Amino acid sequence: MFKRTSQLFTFLTFIFLSTVFANNNPIKKGVIIGSVSEDGTNVPVEYATVSVFTKDTHTLVGGTVTTEGGKFVVKNLSEGTYMVEVTFIGFQKSILENVVIDKSNYSKDIGNVVLTTDAEVLEAVEVVGTQNTVTYDIDKKVVNVGSQFSALSGTAVDVLQNVPSINVDGDGNVSLRGSSGFTVLIDGRPSVLDASEALQQIPASTIENIELITNPSAKYDPDGTAGIINIITKKNKLEGVSGVANVNVGRYGRLGGDFLLNFRKKKWSYYVGANYNKRPGPGTLKSERITQAGDTTSYIISDGERERTFEVMGLQGGVEYSISDNDFIKLSGKVGDFKMYGGMDADFYEYKNIGGSNNPIDENRYISSEQWERGGLYYSVNLAYQHKFNKKGHVLDAMVDYGGRDMTESSKNELLPKNPDGSVVEIPSSGQRSSEVGPGGRLRAKLDYTLPIGATDKIEAGWQTRWNAAEDINEVYQLDPTTGDYIFQQDFSYTTNYTQTIHSLYGIYSGKLGKLGYQGGVRAEYTGRNVSVVGQEQDYPVDQWNIFPTVHLSYSLPKDNQLMLSYSRRIERPRGWYLEPFVTWQDAFNVRQGNPNLLPENIDSFDFGYLWNLGEKATVNFDAYYRMTHDKVERVQKVWSEGVILHTYENVGSDYALGLETSVNLSPFKWWTMDIMGSLFDYKVEGQLEGQDFSRQSINWSSRFNNTFRLSKSTQLQINNRYTGPTVTAQGRNEGFFVMQAAVKHSMLKKKLTLTASMNDVFGTAIRQSYSEGIGFRNMQEDFRYAQYLTVTLTYRLNNFKPSRRGQGGGGGMEDF
């Protein structure tokens, strides 16, 4: 499959490149030539952007970048009068008007264009280098990834660790406002991977910004308890060829690299990119498990070395074509391979006490050797079209997106007894091996229509259909110690089929009344879902309608201050593997079982925000929220047998989160920018489990103190501090921890080359401890990843590559053309 996909991608690349660089017929004779140099030194300016516009309509008809000698040639121009614009970062813009191409002079030499250093422009560049980590729009937070160079060698997860509202556990799992239920979009489109997997596979160096949308409008899918994380990737609008490449190496075998090349010529734009990233995460894991059966108490204590590695590679490309001034079409695709793998060799001590006695009996000491892997091929193809009507803002968007994945998951666990002298027996006494093959695909088609009404109001409406299907083949094998063979276990091996179709319609009206901005919308969705197990007669269907209203209000105050209020109703549908109704072994001490009778979570979410602008040096944001989750789904644990825990899912009741988030962006000096962020919320979960009340409540808080120091025009230092406070779960508690990151970035060769050195967990304080308990059991776990990841990243920019600054995101829609 991967080979065929690669061959197809190579063929399409050849066709697209041929199209982009082919000569247009008929050939236009007009040519504008010239050169660019720096005022005062006469040094040629290479990679300056030269743009040619028609004089009357100011339409871009051609452009290029200057060569190493500062020279440029713009070809294929019709007869007419043009305006030539020359720009380069750090210099004043130079404009030459009334450049005429006619029969008497098809080749126009405009001579040498001199660029003058602009102190104001240079000062603006300094500000961009230390821009605020987070900015705020009416309906979202926008994380400026460029300001977080301490995470440059990592992934989207590493960037999010320094952002308010986000917490990340030791395994890289992300939670938004305390909830792991959120939707991940990439340029406004869903990923074929699960949310945390998608965030782990996107290199930070390819991201322009990240949008946190906690109360999305009715235009967005309502999935996700906490909202949407939208990853906006880098784009470029320069004529000609431009690009950026990154390579990084680090401690513990870290290695990565990526590149993005853009080709743009008049109506055609083409891009191609690739990435590879290997991120080992060695550490230690300690645990203690106590189970009770009658008057017998069983203890299992373990301490071992743990390894967890993320390894991803991907290839992407796309082509855009401007059919006319009002019509655009874009075809893009991505194919990649995503893997998580690791293992643990741990010392286990197992014993029992009877009747409250402190004398241990049935003592066993052994090594538990575990290896596991999850990953496989994923791919997606997207076709998008946009038509702009004559009235500004009157737009029709259409999109078809298809994607799939061929994932496998496998694990192997063996117990090797220890002799009284401490030596380890080479032949295992027991072992389990399991695998899950899960091919799946999804298709999404939608239409979005926007109609302006008057000067400030507009109507938005749309339709969408999404379909997805998956087949999971689970197999379990158990070791026969006498033969050393693994025997297939029919009773724990199943094939599950999962299908789901969702049809949606939405409508939104928005506008302004003086200083009051308002938006109201409603979305209606029909869901048809079925889960079936091969060989079993019973199906588990769902057939239902849901209505999702949304309201957004804003009020403008003097001095650019703002008040914002929003409400949305959302839904969190159970994932496919939450529903598998059978028991399967994970390892010697844990089994898993889904719950096909799970109900979806329904969420009512309220947000209130106040943006206080204190001028150029400070901005303060207050964001209060209240979230109610009905039919709360929790991962719960139960005693399966002596020393073995069953992990499953239940609708346990309701939870409530009432919180306040504060962010202060300060620039006390031109060389120092700081972001002070804090989150405080009261979390309460109420319900029953196995007939017993388990209601819990805690005050949770976290803080972040990020500092960026400009040591010189080319060197910056960044120090990020983060504390995550303790919190309760349905069956226990997670303790708090502190972590510091540090990085230095140095720019060279007129900022074309950048060297960044970063270190994670400088003081080795990111120790994550958790406790859980239920009927007949208690667990303690301590997870520590080795600290002081030293990583060095080298970045090279071709032809003054800069990400598009057209707005702060825009949801990755067709407006990014």
Side-chain angles (χ1 to χ4, degrees), residues 386-418:
Q386 182 185 79
H387 174 73
K388 295 181 179 180
F389 297 90
N390 292 332
K391 186 176 182 179
K392 184 178 180 181
H394 190 189
V395 177
L396 174 67
D397 287 313
M399 188 269 286
V400 177
D401 187 83
Y402 176 76
R405 61 181 184 178
D406 193 4
M407 291 287 176
T408 61
E409 183 174 355
S410 63
S411 65
K412 182 180 179 181
N413 179 264
E414 294 181 336
L415 304 184
L416 296 94
K418 277 188 171 183

Side-chain angles (χ1 to χ4, degrees), residues 218-266:
K219 183 175 182 178
Y220 292 92
D221 295 343
D223 302 77
T225 304
I228 294 172
I229 297 179
N230 189 21
I231 308 296
I232 307 299
T233 58
K234 290 180 178 178
K235 305 171 184 69
N236 199 2
K237 299 299 179 184
L238 290 178
E239 287 286 325
V241 181
S242 59
V244 60
N246 299 274
V247 62
N248 65 80
V249 295
R251 194 178 180 188
Y252 306 123
R254 284 193 165 197
L255 179 65
D258 60 81
F259 75 87
L260 177 65
L261 285 176
N262 287 269
F263 310 89
R264 189 172 183 87
K265 184 178 182 182
K266 293 190 176 179

Side-chain angles (χ1 to χ4, degrees), residues 38-330:
E38 183 178 348
D39 184 32
T41 64
N42 292 323
V43 174
V45 178
E46 56 181 316
Y47 305 134
T49 302
V50 181
S51 305
V52 178
F53 301 88
T54 57
K55 180 182 178 182
D56 296 334
T57 63
H58 199 72
T59 301
L60 179 67
V61 295
T64 187
V65 292
T66 56
T67 65
E68 293 183 1
K71 297 181 180 180
F72 65 86
V73 179
V74 182
K75 301 178 181 179
N76 297 329
L77 299 173
S78 303
E79 294 183 22
T81 303
Y82 298 99
M83 181 179 70
V84 179
E85 181 180 283
V86 181
T87 59
F88 189 70
I89 189 169
F91 292 85
Q92 292 182 355
K93 180 190 300 183
S94 181
I95 299 176
L96 287 80
E97 298 183 351
N98 299 319
V99 178
V100 179
I101 300 292
D102 56 25
K103 294 181 179 179
S104 63
N105 190 0
Y106 280 116
S107 180
K108 182 68 175 180
D109 187 349
I110 61 175
N112 185 51
V113 179
V114 177
L115 295 182
T116 303
T117 302
D118 190 337
E120 293 183 2
V121 172
L122 287 176
E123 185 175 343
V125 172
E126 298 289 332
V127 173
V128 170
T130 56
Q131 62 183 320
N132 295 329
T133 302
V134 183
T135 57
Y136 297 84
D137 287 346
I138 183 174
D139 61 346
K140 60 195 170 190
K141 296 183 181 73
V142 182
V143 182
N144 301 309
V145 175
S147 67
Q148 285 296 298
F149 58 83
S150 63
L152 180 64
S153 64
T155 65
V157 171
D158 298 283
V159 177
L160 290 169
Q161 287 186 124
N162 298 312
V163 174
S165 309
I166 297 290
N167 283 318
V168 180
D169 69 12
D171 291 329
N173 298 310
V174 175
S175 61
L176 175 58
R177 286 183 171 173
S179 173
S180 59
F182 56 86
T183 298
V184 170
L185 304 180
I186 302 174
D187 290 327
R189 300 187 296 273
S191 169
V192 297
L193 300 174
D194 290 338
S196 290
E197 292 177 353
L199 294 173
Q200 288 281 6
Q201 65 92 28
I202 305 173
S205 53
T206 66
I207 303 171
E208 181 176 351
N209 55 50
I210 299 176
E211 299 174 345
L212 305 181
I213 312 172
T214 52
N215 260 356
S217 73
K219 183 175 182 178
Y220 292 92
D221 295 343
D223 302 77
T225 304
I228 294 172
I229 297 179
N230 189 21
I231 308 296
I232 307 299
T233 58
K234 290 180 178 178
K235 305 171 184 69
N236 199 2
K237 299 299 179 184
L238 290 178
E239 287 286 325
V241 181
S242 59
V244 60
N246 299 274
V247 62
N248 65 80
V249 295
R251 194 178 180 188
Y252 306 123
R254 284 193 165 197
L255 179 65
D258 60 81
F259 75 87
L260 177 65
L261 285 176
N262 287 269
F263 310 89
R264 189 172 183 87
K265 184 178 182 182
K266 293 190 176 179
K267 294 185 176 183
W268 288 94
S269 179
Y270 177 80
Y271 73 91
V272 62
N275 66 278
Y276 171 79
N277 207 343
K278 183 179 180 180
R279 294 166 48 79
T284 61
L285 184 66
K286 301 177 181 179
S287 69
E288 179 177 316
R289 174 178 294 176
I290 304 172
T291 56
Q292 187 81 36
D295 64 349
T296 301
T297 304
S298 300
Y299 297 84
I300 300 177
I301 301 171
S302 70
D303 186 355
E305 298 285 324
R306 185 185 186 191
E307 172 69 41
R308 185 183 181 96
T309 298
F310 293 89
E311 187 172 6
V312 297
M313 61 183 70
L315 185 65
Q316 62 175 321
V319 61
E320 303 175 11
Y321 178 65
S322 300
I323 303 171
S324 67
D325 290 341
N326 295 329
D327 295 274
F328 304 92
I329 191 168
K330 177 179 179 180

